[in-house]
Amino acid sequence: MRHFFSKKNRALTSELVRTDFKLRYQGSVLGYAWSLLRPLLIFIILYVVFVKFLKIGSGVPHYPVYLLLGIVIWNFFNEMTVQSLGSIVGRGDLIRKISIPRWIIVFSSSLSALINLFLNLVVVLLFVFINHVDLLKTALWLPLIFLEIYVFAAGISFFLAAAFVKYRDIGYIWEVIMQAGFYLTPILYPLARITNHTFQKLIMINPMAQTVQDARYSVVTHQSATIYSVFDGGWYRFIPFVVVALVFVGGAAYFRKQSKFFAENI
């Protein structure tokens, strides 16, 4: 990491990101347009099912934006961790042929997900204007919220990428965890629908639940429950931030320890 911003590392990272984008959409008719269409199609399906039929979002101000923002945040976290999971194995030939910092491979995968996030946020902004959502001053906190998500996802990505080299079952396990996490995180439903206050607290300890709710509070409506309101203040509201720090440090340390064996284990 000492030479993170060196010219050689910047050039290598840029080339890996470009290659990743080309391979991902190779042979696709719509190409890069899928970066915007995918979350929109998911949003439309979930909106019709959970709003028009199940009436989940009734009573939530600007629920379409509320729902879309949650989907975009979760998709970013999902895309970053899933892509990073197989990044080292996918670049096995490159690792065996030349000596490069292993972390750059995972980092370049995260940048691809970050680019998609920025594109999807343009769509969210469009929905903000269509739904006449008042721009709140608290929206200025959004970059810090996304920074927290990125650091959390980076820690998990480093761990998954290193573990997947030796244990290919990690891919299936993580898929199940992500499926469960999607429903345990208040993306489709308002947190207020969970009437048990203890369950609310357990859910909000999850950094993804905390960041989704904070983002909605900052951009969409101040009626969104946050970890501060759920815990009525107190030091408990800092638990997700501690979890993020521990996950990042632990994931990076595990990756560094295992990286010396990547070439022989791939």
Side-chain angles (χ1 to χ4, degrees), residues 11-239:
L12 179 58
T13 301
S14 177
E15 185 60 34
L16 287 174
V17 171
R18 283 198 298 267
T19 303
D20 179 67
F21 262 86
K22 289 178 182 178
L23 292 176
R24 189 187 311 177
Y25 299 106
Q26 190 176 26
S28 171
V29 175
L30 297 178
Y32 299 125
W34 280 112
S35 296
L36 300 175
L37 287 175
R38 185 172 175 270
L40 272 178
L41 292 174
I42 294 174
F43 161 73
I44 291 171
I45 294 170
L46 295 177
Y47 182 78
V48 170
V49 173
F50 287 92
V51 177
K52 297 301 181 182
F53 291 104
L54 301 180
K55 308 296 182 182
I56 293 290
S58 58
V60 178
H62 309 295
Y63 186 73
V65 183
Y66 183 95
L67 176 61
L68 180 60
L69 183 58
I71 292 172
V72 166
I73 290 174
W74 182 263
N75 279 352
F76 167 60
F77 177 73
N78 178 70
E79 182 180 358
M80 182 171 164
T81 54
V82 170
Q83 284 185 188
S84 298
L85 184 147
S87 60
I88 297 297
V89 173
R91 302 286 184 181
D93 291 340
L94 183 65
I95 290 175
R96 285 192 292 264
K97 289 178 181 177
I98 60 175
S99 177
I100 61 171
R102 305 321 196 219
W103 59 266
I104 282 185
I105 297 175
V106 180
F107 178 64
S108 64
S109 296
S110 73
L111 286 184
S112 298
L114 199 60
I115 292 171
N116 277 339
L117 171 64
F118 290 141
L119 293 174
N120 292 332
L121 287 178
V122 174
V123 178
V124 173
L125 186 61
L126 179 63
F127 270 72
V128 165
F129 287 113
I130 292 175
N131 284 267
H132 304 290
V133 179
D134 295 329
L135 289 178
L136 305 172
K137 292 181 179 180
T138 48
L140 295 174
W141 289 101
L142 203 57
L144 291 178
I145 294 171
F146 283 121
L147 177 61
E148 180 188 351
I149 300 170
Y150 181 85
V151 172
F152 183 53
I156 294 175
S157 296
F158 278 125
F159 173 79
L160 292 176
F164 189 67
V165 173
K166 292 180 65 176
Y167 312 106
R168 302 303 167 91
D169 292 339
I170 290 291
Y172 302 105
I173 295 172
W174 185 245
E175 183 180 350
V176 174
I177 291 174
M178 289 299 294
Q179 192 68 43
F182 179 76
Y183 292 106
L184 289 174
T185 305
I187 296 172
L188 303 175
Y189 54 88
L191 189 65
R193 280 188 169 265
I194 301 175
T195 55
N196 190 305
H197 201 56
T198 301
F199 287 163
Q200 282 190 2
K201 291 179 178 180
L202 289 174
I203 288 174
M204 289 300 288
I205 287 175
N206 171 16
M208 286 308 299
Q210 172 255 315
T211 49
V212 166
Q213 289 300 109
D214 281 356
R216 287 167 168 170
Y217 178 89
S218 300
V219 177
V220 184
T221 173
H222 283 174
Q223 292 185 23
S224 297
T226 64
I227 192 166
Y228 184 87
S229 61
V230 169
F231 281 97
D232 299 319
W235 67 269
Y236 294 101
R237 67 184 187 273
F238 296 110
I239 293 177

